[in-house]
Amino acid sequence: MTDYSTLERFLHKIALGSPSLSEMFFDLEKLLNRTGFQRTDSVYVTGLARAGTTTVMRALFESAQFASLTYNDMPFVLAPNLWSKVSGFKGKTRHSKERAHKDGIQVNYDSPESFEEVFWRLHCGDDYIFPASLTVHDVDQQTLNELNIYHNLICLKNIKHRYLAKNNNTILRIKSLAQSYKDCKFLVVFRQPFNQSKSLLQQHMQFTNNDKFTHQYMNWLVHHEFGSTHRPFVFNSPLSQVDQIARLSSDSRTIEYWLQRWVDAYGYLLTILENGMPNVMPISYEKICNQPGYWSQLCDHLNLNAIPYDFNRAQVLGDIDCDHALKLKALSIYNKLNLLCCY
């Protein structure tokens, strides 16, 4: 983001900074691409940030079976077919470089990424985006219809009938989507809570002093997981409590704060899983990295040939300095999620 040219920054502001222009680009995309091209199914990868969702999504993308938004589609992600015709980027790649997270993940223009949230901000941002938090929301049928059209447009651009998305904010609407999209599978990636909380804290500190453009960029994409734009997820709380919970962000430089975010998110997801949704599946990051057979079985469940992928071995931290009761709660949720894993 910091090395974007002046022209690239200007295009981002045009494409992402104005809801009215975003809506216009989406309407134009729909008007110019009425081909009837249909997706057959979708796979969503979700979970709290730093769970390993990017790694899982990129591994699935290696199968070449899925259409997904990539950096080539930025910044006009709501008009992927139109932008691919005029941008000159189609079919081109640039040298890979480490992404801004400084976590070893290399990206280039063909790398898939979490850009779908631009659609959600445009169509129902007022339902879940608040000044100090993001909240659970139900998705109405009109928005679901538009989402289906959007998926078809992305599949058309890539000439693929299966759609793949990684989006941590999917947690906030997973009940609506899972109930409405029976043909979709939702992979909820979870990671040992002490490891994940430490990683969240590290990323939060790293992104705390963003430059102006990076700050805007994160807001446009509704990436509020950590850093200067951080807004915590709020689950099962009346709006009167939202500000009270959001004020906890003042403690966001502590490991306890991030462990509480883990407990809130995966406690909510555990309830959904225990109530039974067959197309929502908990996926253990540690097992994917450390047990090759686990990944093969997951690929088989998704009707994919086993995809060779070099997962780094997951390391497990020792204890952390944090409230004992909170740690026990986190470990209890983690153990229950592992028991619910299908493989």
Side-chain angles (χ1 to χ4, degrees):
M1 289 169 279
T2 57
D3 59 353
Y4 280 4
S5 68
T6 301
L7 176 59
E8 287 172 323
R9 293 182 181 219
F10 176 69
L11 288 176
H12 278 72
K13 289 180 180 179
I14 290 177
L16 303 172
S18 168
S20 58
L21 286 176
S22 296
E23 185 173 10
M24 182 190 74
F25 293 133
F26 187 50
D27 288 342
L28 185 60
E29 172 81 359
K30 291 187 291 183
L31 180 65
L32 296 176
N33 295 283
R34 296 179 174 178
T35 67
F37 197 93
Q38 298 286 321
R39 68 164 178 81
T40 56
D41 69 326
S42 297
V43 174
Y44 270 96
V45 181
T46 190
L48 196 63
R50 311 305 299 166
T53 51
T54 296
T55 300
V56 173
M57 178 263 298
R58 286 165 66 101
L60 293 173
F61 191 70
E62 287 292 316
S63 70
Q65 297 297 307
F66 294 101
S68 186
L69 290 169
T70 70
Y71 285 92
N72 264 324
D73 298 306
M74 283 291 280
F76 294 91
V77 292
L78 292 176
N81 292 279
L82 178 61
W83 178 236
S84 70
K85 290 180 175 66
V86 303
S87 68
F89 287 149
K90 188 174 183 179
K92 297 182 179 180
T93 60
R94 296 186 184 180
H95 294 298
S96 296
K97 61 181 180 181
E98 189 177 30
R99 65 178 184 167
H101 300 67
K102 298 180 181 179
D103 55 4
I105 293 179
Q106 301 287 312
V107 297
N108 60 36
Y109 274 86
D110 289 326
S111 300
E113 192 43 88
S114 175
F115 297 132
E116 190 192 78
E117 198 65 22
V118 176
F119 170 91
W120 292 103
R121 177 171 63 87
L122 174 65
H123 286 84
C124 48
D126 291 342
D127 294 337
Y128 73 102
I129 303 173
F130 293 88
S133 62
L134 302 180
T135 66
V136 172
H137 65 111
D138 294 323
V139 184
D140 60 43
Q141 189 58 51
Q142 181 178 353
T143 301
L144 289 171
N145 293 340
E146 292 294 289
L147 179 66
N148 194 55
I149 293 171
Y150 186 43
H151 287 178
N152 290 338
L153 290 167
I154 296 169
C155 286
L156 170 65
K157 184 245 178 178
N158 292 276
I159 319 297
K160 307 284 186 184
H161 288 279
R162 305 186 73 184
Y163 176 71
L164 172 68
K166 188 271 291 193
N167 190 349
N168 298 330
N169 289 350
T170 297
I171 294 174
L172 301 172
R173 59 188 74 99
I174 194 168
K175 289 178 69 174
S176 288
L177 292 181
Q179 290 170 351
S180 300
Y181 282 156
K182 303 297 185 181
D183 62 335
C184 297
K185 291 184 172 63
F186 298 84
L187 310 184
V188 176
V189 185
F190 65 96
R191 182 180 173 191
Q192 203 278 347
F194 300 167
N195 289 33
Q196 192 168 345
S197 300
K198 182 178 180 180
S199 183
L200 282 164
L201 175 58
Q202 290 173 337
Q203 291 296 317
H204 181 64
M205 301 302 293
Q206 182 173 309
F207 281 90
T208 294
N209 297 312
N210 290 330
D211 63 86
K212 181 179 179 181
F213 177 75
T214 301
H215 190 92
Q216 291 176 321
Y217 182 93
M218 301 294 272
N219 281 325
W220 290 331
L221 299 184
V222 202
H223 284 341
H224 299 299
E225 292 97 331
F226 39 70
S228 63
T229 60
H230 175 54
R231 305 180 197 183
F233 289 168
V234 174
F235 302 96
N236 297 327
S237 297
L239 291 181
S240 61
Q241 296 180 20
V242 167
D243 289 337
Q244 178 184 354
I245 294 174
R247 280 198 295 272
L248 292 172
S249 297
S250 62
D251 298 325
S252 60
R253 292 174 179 266
T254 68
I255 190 69
E256 189 168 70
Y257 172 82
W258 293 103
L259 186 58
Q260 184 64 60
R261 303 282 70 72
W262 192 98
V263 166
D264 288 351
Y266 287 104
Y268 173 76
L269 289 167
L270 177 62
T271 300
I272 292 175
L273 290 162
E274 288 179 332
N275 287 336
M277 281 195 176
N279 55 342
V280 181
M281 296 169 287
I283 304 298
S284 167
Y285 178 73
E286 283 78 25
K287 289 183 180 179
I288 279 183
C289 293
N290 300 335
Q291 301 177 20
Y294 183 85
W295 172 245
S296 298
Q297 289 177 350
L298 175 59
C299 290
D300 184 64
H301 185 76
L302 298 175
N303 296 317
L304 297 169
N305 293 326
I307 306 162
Y309 198 82
D310 185 20
F311 294 102
N312 292 326
R313 186 170 179 83
Q315 301 297 318
V316 179
L317 292 176
D319 202 3
I320 57 174
D321 185 13
C322 188
D323 177 74
H324 184 66
L326 181 60
K327 289 191 291 186
L328 289 179
K329 188 172 184 179
L331 290 174
S332 174
I333 294 171
Y334 178 67
N335 291 334
K336 290 177 181 178
L337 288 171
N338 271 302
L339 288 174
L340 289 172
C341 284
C342 299
Y343 317 116

